[in-house]
Each structure stands twice: as C-alpha cells, then as structure tokens.
Amino acid sequence: MNVGTFNIKGAGVGKAKTVKGLLSKYGLSFMVIQETQFRELPERVIKRFWDNSTFDYIKVDAEGRSGGLLPIWNPGVFKKNSEVVSQNFILVSGRITGDQVDTTIVNVCAPTVQSSRRQLWNEILTLKQSIQGQWMILGDFNEVRFPQDRFNSQFDVGGALCFNNFIRNAGLQEYNMGGKRYTFMSGAGKNLSKIDRVLVCD
C-alpha cells in the first residue's frame, strides 16, 4: 500500500487537483492531508481530493483558519478497525488487504508551542505502546531534528532533543526524502526549515 502526505495550506480546488494528480502518479491508496484550514469541511469538498473510486475518511476541522486534518483512503485496500482523534493528530488503525498484521497510520499537524508539542509526543508514545503492529507517523511535526534542518532561523536544541528522544523511544526511523532539503519557508522565503517527515517502526 502506497501512502502519501501533503500539507495543503487550504483545501481549495487547485490543491484538490494536485492531490488527485499525486494519487494517480504514485498509485496512492492512503493520503494524509494537513492544514485544510476549513472550520467545517463538507463531504462535497472532500470528494474533490479523491478519484471516482470509493473512499473512507476521518476529519478534524480547523480552529478558525488554522489546522485541519484529513486522512482519506481506499477501503478496498485498507480496512479500518479503530481511530483516535484529537486536534493535532488522527490515528487510524486497521489492516491492509492480504496482510496478517495490523497497521496504524497517524496523520500529524503538531502545534507551534513547544510545550504542547512535548505533550503531543508523550500522547502518541503512550498510544504506540498500547497498540501492536506496524506503525507509520507522518505529516507536519513543526520541529526539526538537526541544525542543518534550518536555514536563517534559530535552532532549538531543547525542542530537537525532545523530538529525537520521542523518535528513539517509539522505535521509529525516518524515511529519506528526495527533492528539496527544506519543506517550509517563512519570512518572504528567507527562512527555511524541514518540518515535514515520514516516520516508520523498525
């Protein structure tokens, strides 16, 4: 099963076309989307992000114009057994067709406040310890791991240490990314950082 992640920063029609293009190009059966920025995301809008096949989804609406999560998947490929939903993550646990082990996929859009991120890491770690099987955690972590993950912005040693400890304690490893080094820009494009990641169990 191929899985994709996309921080869309607004669920407009153009973004929906881009997501549908990714589904086709990479044969995705499961897509996790962050920053829909919709306070009440209707199903007619959600349908724009998928092809003509059947789909299932869970959503968390944005708070004002900030946040919003949407994992969406092919139920013929992934059968959901359970879910855990909060403002900053959606956990979906189920089984891939033909697989004998449960798989848990977590769509993350971490808060900007460091203390809140630490609470989030602890919450996900507790869930990881209680739910068996394969795990994948992906999305916008709003945190970097190493100094080279930032350009023209301050590296937070304490935040990175906490994040790296979470990854280690959860038994996760990071997939290497192709393309550009950084995934987020601010300050009119002058400040760059790598805050979007794909973490998987050993």
Side-chain angles (χ1 to χ4, degrees), residues 9-78:
K9 300 192 185 306
V13 174
K15 303 292 181 63
K17 289 181 178 179
T18 300
V19 171
K20 289 177 73 173
L22 293 172
L23 296 177
S24 175
K25 182 177 180 179
Y26 296 106
L28 302 180
S29 301
F30 203 119
M31 172 66 87
V32 298
I33 296 171
Q34 305 89 41
E35 295 278 2
T36 63
Q37 297 180 354
F38 261 74
R39 187 170 180 84
E40 295 181 6
L41 187 64
E43 187 165 304
R44 61 177 175 79
V45 173
I46 295 172
K47 287 180 179 179
R48 298 175 186 166
F49 290 88
W50 205 251
D51 56 24
N52 294 325
S53 63
T54 58
F55 66 90
D56 200 356
Y57 70 91
I58 306 169
K59 66 172 182 173
V60 167
D61 291 327
E63 293 183 327
R65 291 289 294 171
S66 176
L69 293 167
L70 177 66
I72 182 169
W73 66 91
N74 182 341
V77 177
F78 180 87

Side-chain angles (χ1 to χ4, degrees), residues 81-151:
N81 295 328
S82 62
E83 64 187 64
V84 179
V85 179
S86 82
Q87 193 61 43
N88 294 112
F89 75 89
I90 296 177
L91 178 154
V92 187
S93 189
R95 188 160 290 188
I96 300 169
T97 300
D99 205 341
Q100 302 302 312
V101 180
D102 286 344
T103 296
T104 296
I105 300 173
V106 186
N107 183 10
V108 172
C109 188
T112 57
V113 178
Q114 185 189 113
S115 59
S116 298
R117 285 198 298 274
R118 292 185 179 187
Q119 292 176 9
L120 176 61
W121 310 150
N122 289 335
E123 186 174 358
I124 294 176
L125 181 60
T126 299
L127 289 167
K128 172 99 174 28
Q129 293 168 340
S130 65
I131 301 175
Q132 300 300 312
Q134 303 175 127
W135 272 68
M136 180 182 298
I137 307 174
L138 63 171
D140 179 355
F141 292 88
N142 249 319
E143 188 66 87
V144 301
R145 299 187 63 187
F146 311 109
Q148 58 266 32
D149 290 341
R150 287 199 179 277
F151 179 77

